[in-house]
């Protein structure tokens, strides 16, 4: 048995333990998994190097037999005034997603803000994402129109990383977000480059968002839509795309302030890019 981590109580967590939890949350019961990851389930066992750990974790997901494994490889390149190099621009979505995107047989979309890495077999489906990173023709929109998709939260907290909420908000044209354009060059794997305009539906400057959507996560768990199981110091959870879209949409329809920190007024709907204010590296939308 191959042990990978020790949890806070010094219990050893094996690759088999992780595989069994993946099965328990029904991550195998779909055609496509969209994976959000934070793989530090505990303290890595001494003697396992980083590459071996990443490979072993990937193997547990692969062993589920799901046809398509998709990972977000967001860079927010143009937001940071940086050109987007499809091959070399590192994702800000964590070591596991970076590992997966570099594997043979993968295709990365040319969205300079919210790219995703998909199996090469899906290149024809994802080969022409639109200039709307959260709108019609975006990777998330394509995923919405695929059948039998689940979101896998592999150590990541759903309440902290669920960008899909913003896609649904864009589809519903919520007033507290607006379209902002960014420009730069996209560098393709063959070395050619193309100037591109990309649009991000982002938060109005005067509107405050919650630090995380943990309350929505709890509702999904309580209703039985989010299958969730603790392992080591984190958890693994799964939610179907169909349930996610319906439940997000329903909450916005019932309460326009559901995904904001407090009710907004018209004067706060300022079309100014919130995330550029502190001049730090932009990693959110």
């Amino acid at each position: 048995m191959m042990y990978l981590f020790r949890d806070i109580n010094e219990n050893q967590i094996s690759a088999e333990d992780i595989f069994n939890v993946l099965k328990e949350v029904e991550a195998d019961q779909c055609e496509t998994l969209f994976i959000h990851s934070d793989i530090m389930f505990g303290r890595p066992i001494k003697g396992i190097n980083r590459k071996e750990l990443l490979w072993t974790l990937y193997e547990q997901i692969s062993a589920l037999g799901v046809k398509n494994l998709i990972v977000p490889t967001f860079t927010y390149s143009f937001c940071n005034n940086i050109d987007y190099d499809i091959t070399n621009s590192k994702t800000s979505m964590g070591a596991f997603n970076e590992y997966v995107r570099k594997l043979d047989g993968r295709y990365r979309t040319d969205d300079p803000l919210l790219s995703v890495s998909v199996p090469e077999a899906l290149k024809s489906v994802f080969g022409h994402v639109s200039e709307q990173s959260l709108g019609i023709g975006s990777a998330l929109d394509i995923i919405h129109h695929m059948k039998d998709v689940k979101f896998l939260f592999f150590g990541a907290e759903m309440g902290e990383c669920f960008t899909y909420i913003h896609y649904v908000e864009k589809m519903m044209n919520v007033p507290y977000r607006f379209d902002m354009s960014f420009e730069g060059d996209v560098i393709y794997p063959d070395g050619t480059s193309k100037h591109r305009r990309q649009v991000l539906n982002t938060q109005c400057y005067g509107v405050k968002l919650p630090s995380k959507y943990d309350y929505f996560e709890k509702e999904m768990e309580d209703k039985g839509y989010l299958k969730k199981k603790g392992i080591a110091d984190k958890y693994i959870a799964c939610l179907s795309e169909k349930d996610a879209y319906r439940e997000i949409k329903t909450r916005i329809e019932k309460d326009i302030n559901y995904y904001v920190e407090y009710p907004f007024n018209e004067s706060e709907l300022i079309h100014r890019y919130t995330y550029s204010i502190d001049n730090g590296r932009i990693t959110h939308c």
Side-chain angles (χ1 to χ4, degrees):
M1 184 175 293
M2 184 177 186
Y3 289 101
L4 303 177
F5 302 100
R6 291 184 185 274
D7 67 16
I8 195 171
N9 297 313
E10 295 300 320
N11 298 308
Q12 294 189 111
I13 308 301
S14 69
E16 183 180 3
D17 292 331
I18 289 174
F19 177 78
N20 289 338
V21 171
L22 286 165
K23 294 275 287 186
E24 190 169 342
V25 301
E26 301 176 1
D28 58 325
Q29 296 180 28
C30 62
E31 186 170 299
T32 299
L33 273 179
F34 186 91
I35 307 167
H36 290 282
S37 66
D38 181 353
I39 61 166
M40 294 312 294
F41 290 95
R43 191 171 73 254
I45 295 292
K46 188 176 181 180
I48 296 180
N49 64 44
R50 187 179 184 83
K51 186 174 181 180
E52 184 179 13
L53 177 63
L54 292 168
W55 177 84
T56 303
L57 291 172
Y58 178 73
E59 283 297 294
Q60 305 320 301
I61 298 176
S62 295
L64 296 171
V66 174
K67 182 179 179 180
N68 302 312
L69 301 180
I70 298 177
V71 296
T73 56
F74 305 168
T75 60
Y76 298 92
S77 296
F78 289 3
C79 302
N80 289 288
N81 298 309
I82 299 171
D83 290 338
Y84 170 56
D85 187 322
I86 295 174
T87 302
N88 297 310
S89 289
K90 185 177 180 180
T91 178
S92 59
M93 303 301 289
F96 181 80
N97 292 29
E98 179 72 0
Y99 174 80
V100 173
R101 83 160 183 92
K102 289 183 173 181
L103 293 173
D104 292 338
R106 305 290 301 180
Y107 170 78
R108 189 186 198 183
T109 61
D110 62 359
D111 183 331
L113 309 182
L114 306 183
S115 65
V116 300
S117 169
V118 303
E120 187 74 29
L122 290 178
K123 180 177 179 179
S124 61
V125 180
F126 286 85
H128 301 285
V129 293
S130 75
E131 68 172 18
Q132 290 275 346
S133 287
L134 285 170
I136 293 173
S138 66
L140 290 177
D141 188 52
I142 294 169
I143 287 165
H144 173 57
H145 290 93
M146 294 172 69
K147 66 176 184 177
D148 202 13
V149 177
K150 284 188 175 183
F151 295 105
L152 174 65
F153 301 94
F154 193 54
E157 291 188 32
M158 173 186 159
E160 291 188 339
C161 66
F162 204 19
T163 307
Y164 189 75
I165 290 172
H166 303 322
Y167 160 69
V168 182
E169 289 173 319
K170 168 61 178 174
M171 291 296 97
M172 298 186 70
N173 195 30
V174 297
Y176 53 85
R177 299 183 76 86
F178 72 101
D179 282 348
M180 183 161 181
S181 297
F182 300 87
E183 292 188 23
D185 289 341
V186 175
I187 303 167
Y188 289 84
D190 64 1
T192 61
S193 65
K194 180 180 180 181
H195 194 75
R196 178 167 175 149
R197 172 181 176 267
Q198 196 70 22
V199 179
L200 185 67
N201 191 244
T202 189
Q203 166 194 355
C204 288
Y205 178 66
V207 177
K208 182 175 174 56
L209 301 186
S211 58
K212 58 182 178 179
Y213 299 114
D214 52 347
Y215 55 94
F216 177 61
E217 177 178 336
K218 186 177 187 306
E219 283 190 30
M220 293 301 93
E221 185 179 5
D222 289 346
K223 287 179 174 290
Y225 299 133
L226 182 71
K227 308 296 183 184
K228 183 176 176 180
K229 176 72 174 180
I231 181 166
D233 300 331
K234 293 187 176 291
Y235 67 75
I236 295 173
C238 222
L239 173 70
S240 81
E241 186 279 334
K242 183 179 179 180
D243 288 338
Y245 190 93
R246 182 191 65 247
E247 296 300 313
I248 296 167
K249 182 174 182 288
T250 297
R251 278 155 182 75
I252 294 172
E253 289 172 337
K254 289 182 177 179
D255 179 8
I256 194 62
N257 294 298
Y258 184 87
Y259 291 107
V260 299
E261 182 71 17
Y262 54 80
F264 58 86
N265 57 54
E266 289 294 323
S267 66
E268 293 171 319
L269 302 180
I270 303 165
H271 289 191
R272 182 182 178 190
Y273 191 43
T274 305
Y275 296 104
S276 63
I277 302 303
D278 63 5
N279 295 317
R281 181 168 179 80
I282 295 164
T283 59
H284 296 83
C285 60

